[in-house]
Amino acid sequence: TLTHPLDTVRLRLALPNTPYHGMVNAVVTISSKEGLFALYKGLAPTLVGIAPYAALNFSTYDLLKTWTYSNGGVKQSPVTNIGIGAMAGTLASTVCYPLDTVRRRMQMPGQTYSGQADALVQIFRKEGVRGFFRGWAANTLKVVPQNSIRFVTYEFLKSLLGVKKAKTDT
């Protein structure tokens, strides 16, 4: 919640022909012209999307890891975990991507959504389901290595710290 205004400013600064001359100028201009709450546009879909993304990402990783290593034919390795992490991240980000689209659209200047539900309805009416997935491929190219590294690091740190395997771990 505290860093959400930075996300809004980042998006606005990345727009073509942005009227802002840096981060501080963007914060001051947005706050004075649109009000302080304009910096928090899109916060609701961000908060709504965090828990499902994390839950789906970790549960998918755990399920894929169990499925891959349970028969004993494949020994756990960082290379295999890279692939498992990539698949888990792709699934989780794909399922949650519509909320990310809503968040970004709400943050853009000139958008007049009355809230998250209104944005969902308007995007669907004007663009159909495809409207929720614009930019998905580029996002996936970012998520795959990011999530792969996250889970390989996670496994490495578990091993390094001697974290014992629980009954629910794979």
Side-chain angles (χ1 to χ4, degrees), residues 13 15 32 57 69 93 102-103 119 151 153:
L13 287 170
L15 293 172
S32 63
N57 194 22
Y69 299 127
S93 67
V102 168
R103 173 191 58 81
F151 281 116
T153 303

Side-chain angles (χ1 to χ4, degrees), residues 1 3 6 13 20 29 34 39 43 48 57 65 70 98 104 129 132 148 151:
T1 303
T3 61
L6 295 173
L13 287 170
Y20 312 113
T29 304
E34 301 174 48
L39 293 168
L43 179 61
V48 168
N57 194 22
K65 212 171 101 176
S70 65
R104 282 183 276 111
V129 173
F132 292 111
S148 297
F151 281 116

Side-chain angles (χ1 to χ4, degrees), residues 12-28:
R12 300 270 187 109
L13 287 170
L15 293 172
N17 303 317
T18 184
Y20 312 113
H21 306 289
M23 185 174 68
V24 173
N25 176 256
V27 169
V28 171

Side-chain angles (χ1 to χ4, degrees), residues 86-144:
M87 288 186 278
T90 300
L91 177 68
S93 67
T94 299
V95 169
C96 297
Y97 197 76
L99 288 171
D100 196 44
T101 298
V102 168
R103 173 191 58 81
R104 282 183 276 111
R105 299 274 184 101
M106 290 176 75
Q107 290 174 321
M108 293 177 70
Q111 293 296 340
T112 55
Y113 301 118
S114 62
Q116 180 178 339
D118 181 48
L120 285 163
V121 169
Q122 281 194 49
I123 293 168
F124 182 74
R125 282 187 184 153
K126 292 177 183 172
E127 304 171 53
V129 173
R130 289 185 71 163
F132 292 111
F133 291 94
R134 295 191 191 285
W136 173 85
N139 185 68
T140 300
L141 289 174
K142 176 187 85 168
V143 166
V144 165

